[in-house]
Amino acid sequence: PVIYPPVILPRAIPGVERDPLGFACLGRVAPEKEIERIVTILTAVRKAGHPVRLQFVGRIGDDDYGRKVAKLIETGRDWICPRGFLDLEEKQNLLSRQSFALHACRIEAFGIAVAEMASLGCVPFIPATGGAGEIVTIRGLRFETVDEAVEKIVFALENPDTVGEWRTRLAVATKQFGPEVFMKELREHVAAFGRRGAPVAAR
């Protein structure tokens, strides 16, 4: 059986107003995360008439890819805000005020950052491939191509009632990834293994 990795799941600060055009990107800055794809998608959304903004959360290193991302962010400095590394309280304060999240890694093993953002009420758009799909099962939030991502984001921006329904569903769904659930399932599986008795020697 599969036990999902434990994720710290802070909840959004109650009563805080969300930016209806606010997007967040959270995670490691590495080539497989395809940061440039996120910028491409949101640039197209802006060209479609929706002036979205991006809060970029993650430490940008001084390696080749980090420098590439830093340069990319600089070209969109009027709407991309690099926040660097944030601790749990800082993330809670920032992400509680964003309406959406965008993740672009197509080979994600699981997607802890996606679970974090969803638990804080950021409705995440994710690739149709990869482990993040086990967190976000809503078809309207999964995309195959850049064009499909743009289309689905524009739909969400123009249909806030639907987004509210998705946010409620995600808040419930992410609870299964919390540390308490992980500990409970791990104990149960260890106990079940112990009940099998001593292993039989091979002949």
Side-chain angles (χ1 to χ4, degrees), residues 30-38 40-41 65 103-111 114 125-133 142-147:
E32 67 271 16
K33 298 298 183 180
E34 300 190 70
I35 307 299
E36 60 274 32
R37 201 166 184 235
I38 291 174
T40 297
I41 290 168
Y65 189 71
H103 193 70
C105 181
R106 286 175 277 189
I107 56 170
E108 192 71 79
F110 176 61
V114 174
F125 293 88
I126 64 164
T129 59
R142 301 169 67 171
F143 60 88
E144 294 276 359
T145 65
V146 167
D147 288 344

Side-chain angles (χ1 to χ4, degrees), residues 77-114:
R77 62 183 179 274
D78 58 326
W79 62 278
I80 304 175
C81 183
R83 296 288 185 170
F85 175 82
L86 300 180
D87 63 26
L88 188 61
E89 185 178 351
E90 291 171 323
K91 279 192 292 187
Q92 185 181 30
N93 287 332
L94 178 67
L95 298 179
S96 292
R97 291 169 168 79
Q98 311 309 310
S99 291
F100 303 99
L102 183 53
H103 193 70
C105 181
R106 286 175 277 189
I107 56 170
E108 192 71 79
F110 176 61
I112 288 176
V114 174

Side-chain angles (χ1 to χ4, degrees), residues 55-189:
Q55 302 291 332
F56 187 88
V57 183
R59 182 177 288 114
I60 301 173
D62 194 30
D63 57 335
D64 288 345
Y65 189 71
R67 288 190 291 271
K68 177 181 178 181
V69 169
K71 185 176 180 180
L72 188 62
I73 289 173
E74 180 63 20
T75 64
R77 62 183 179 274
D78 58 326
W79 62 278
I80 304 175
C81 183
R83 296 288 185 170
F85 175 82
L86 300 180
D87 63 26
L88 188 61
E89 185 178 351
E90 291 171 323
K91 279 192 292 187
Q92 185 181 30
N93 287 332
L94 178 67
L95 298 179
S96 292
R97 291 169 168 79
Q98 311 309 310
S99 291
F100 303 99
L102 183 53
H103 193 70
C105 181
R106 286 175 277 189
I107 56 170
E108 192 71 79
F110 176 61
I112 288 176
V114 174
E116 276 190 277
M117 292 187 288
S119 75
L120 282 163
C122 297
V123 174
F125 293 88
I126 64 164
T129 59
E134 296 186 52
I135 302 166
V136 181
T137 59
I138 300 169
R139 296 178 66 89
L141 298 175
R142 301 169 67 171
F143 60 88
E144 294 276 359
T145 65
V146 167
D147 288 344
E148 184 182 6
V150 172
E151 180 183 338
K152 290 186 172 182
I153 289 172
V154 168
F155 172 84
L157 291 168
E158 295 175 351
N159 293 273
D161 289 345
T162 299
V163 173
E165 293 171 6
W166 288 341
R167 183 173 289 117
T168 300
R169 287 172 59 184
L170 287 164
V172 174
T174 54
K175 290 180 180 178
Q176 66 179 306
F177 307 118
E180 297 81 5
V181 175
F182 172 83
M183 290 186 291
K184 176 177 178 291
E185 291 186 349
L186 182 59
R187 290 191 187 103
E188 289 174 352
H189 289 307

